[in-house]
Amino acid sequence: MSVADWCAAVMFAAITLYALLAGADFGAGVWDLLAGGDERGREQRGLIEASIGPVWEANHVWLIAVLVVLWTAFPPVFAAIMSTLYVPLTLAAVGIILRGAAFAFRKASDELAWQRLFGATFAASSVLTPFMLGAVVGGVASGRVPPGDAAGNVMQSWLNPTSILGGVMAVVVCAFLAAAYLTRDADRRGRADLTRAFRDRALASGALAGAVAIAGVFVLHADAPDLFHGLTHRGAALIAASAVAGVATLVLLVRGAFVIARVAAALAVVAVLFGWAAAQYPYMLERSVKIADAAGARPTLVAMLSVLAAGAVVLVPLLVWLFVLLQRGMLAEEH
C-alpha cells in the first residue's frame, strides 16, 4: 500500500467508528422520539440518557478525524465535496449542534414545556443528521460529485434516488444499532421490561433495514450502475457477510444472547461499509478521481500519519477506558 492508500484507510476507519458509535447515539434519539408520552416514555428515555450521556460528545472525535484527513491528505476531493454538497453538510452540522444543545438543556430544565421543546429538538435532529450524512454518501458514491470547485449540481447531487436511499438507510441502521446496544444495557441493569421493549425495536428495525436494502438493489441498478456493479462484484462477499451478520443479530436477540448480538450488529454495519469501500476502490470520486491522483505531497501525508499515530497512542486507550467504565456502571451516578 502507498502512503496515500494508508491515509485513505485511516480516514475510512474513522468513518466506520463514527458510524458504529455516533450512529448508535443518533439512533438512540430516534427511539427517544418514538418512546411515547411523558409518563409512558420516561423509563425508556432515562435508559437512553444513561447510555449515551457519558460518551456522545467523545464519539464526534471520529468525524473530526475524517474531516482533518480529507482536508489535509486529499484537498481536491475535500474541495469538490464541500462545494457541491454544502447544503446537506450544513444541515447535518446544524443538526449536530442543535442535538447536542437540546440534549444538555433538556436534562438541565425543570419545566415540562422546556423539556418537551428540547426533547423534540434532540429527537428531530437525531433523524435529520444521519439522513443528511447518508445523502452525502449517496451523492459521492453515485458519482454526482465531479472534480473541481462547485462543479456539481448543488441540489441534484443529494436530491436523487441513491442519496435518498442512503439517507433512509442511515437512519434505519442507526436505529437498529441503538436498539441492539440498548437491549444489552437494559439487560445489564436487570430491567426486563426495557430489555423486551428495545429487543422488539431491534428486531423491527433490523427487519426494516433488510427490506430497505432489498429495495435498494433496484434503486442502485437503475440510478447508480457503476456503484451497483462494484457492490455485486468486488464488494459482493462483504455485502453477503453483512446480510449474514444482520440475520445472526436477529436470531441472537430472540435467543437472549444480547452481548454477542451487539457484536454481530456492529459487524453487519462494518461489512456493508467495507463493501462500499471495496466497490469504489481505488476511486475517491466515482470513476473520476483516484486516491493516488487526489493525494497531497508525500511529506505532508507522512507527517499527518505520524501525528495521527502519536495522537492515537493517547486517545484510543482513554476512549476504551471511558467505554469500560460506562459498561461497568461506574458512571451511572453522574447521569
Side-chain angles (χ1 to χ4, degrees):
M1 289 178 61
S2 67
V3 177
D5 287 333
W6 277 110
C7 290
V10 168
M11 183 177 69
F12 197 78
I15 291 174
T16 303
L17 288 169
Y18 189 68
L20 290 178
L21 301 175
D25 292 346
F26 293 133
V30 174
W31 298 123
D32 189 286
L33 177 66
L34 301 176
D38 298 325
E39 292 300 324
R40 187 164 66 89
R42 185 184 305 276
E43 294 296 322
Q44 293 180 29
R45 292 190 177 97
L47 176 64
I48 289 170
E49 287 191 3
S51 296
I52 72 174
V55 297
W56 67 272
E57 288 183 295
N59 290 334
H60 285 301
V61 71
W62 305 114
L63 178 60
I64 296 170
V66 172
L67 294 175
V68 168
V69 174
L70 183 61
W71 182 7
T72 306
F74 307 103
V77 174
F78 180 88
I81 292 174
M82 294 297 169
S83 60
T84 297
L85 292 168
Y86 65 84
V87 174
L89 286 169
T90 299
L91 291 173
V94 170
I96 290 173
I97 295 168
L98 289 178
R99 180 178 177 275
F103 182 70
F105 289 147
R106 181 175 67 174
K107 295 171 65 176
S109 299
D110 296 325
E111 296 183 14
L112 182 59
W114 285 110
Q115 290 177 351
R116 287 175 174 174
L117 174 62
F118 291 133
T121 303
F122 166 70
S125 300
S126 296
V127 176
L128 173 69
T129 303
F131 180 88
M132 290 302 165
L133 293 176
V136 167
V137 170
V140 173
S142 61
R144 288 183 166 90
V145 181
D149 234 1
N153 189 294
V154 172
M155 300 307 293
Q156 293 178 5
S157 59
W158 65 282
L159 290 177
N160 59 76
T162 301
S163 289
I164 293 173
L165 171 66
V168 172
M169 195 66 180
V171 173
V172 174
V173 167
C174 287
F176 170 61
L177 275 178
Y181 292 178
L182 288 166
T183 301
R184 165 55 185 161
D185 286 347
D187 181 65
R188 179 170 54 82
R189 289 173 167 82
R191 294 299 304 271
D193 55 336
L194 293 178
T195 300
R196 288 191 299 271
F198 282 109
R199 182 197 61 188
D200 292 344
R201 285 161 171 75
L203 293 173
S205 56
L208 180 59
V212 173
I214 293 172
V217 171
F218 301 98
V219 173
L220 295 180
H221 184 269
D223 188 62
D226 288 337
L227 176 60
F228 176 81
H229 182 271
L231 289 173
T232 54
H233 289 76
R234 292 190 303 274
L238 288 163
I239 298 302
S242 176
V244 171
V247 172
T249 303
L250 302 184
V251 173
L252 290 166
L253 287 168
V254 171
R255 294 175 63 89
F258 301 131
V259 175
I260 305 176
R262 176 185 282 189
V263 175
L267 288 176
V269 176
V270 170
V272 76
L273 287 173
F274 276 61
W276 163 45
Q280 192 162 323
Y281 185 82
Y283 294 94
M284 296 201 75
L285 298 179
E286 184 64 35
R287 298 291 181 246
S288 58
V289 178
K290 292 184 177 181
I291 293 174
D293 299 331
R298 179 182 172 85
T300 301
L301 304 186
V302 172
M304 187 193 67
L305 288 175
S306 301
V307 171
L308 288 175
V313 172
V314 178
L315 175 66
V316 173
L318 293 176
L319 288 175
V320 170
W321 185 238
L322 175 63
F323 281 99
V324 168
L325 293 176
L326 178 64
Q327 291 303 304
R328 290 179 179 178
M330 298 179 70
L331 302 179
E333 291 183 359
E334 299 177 16
H335 301 271

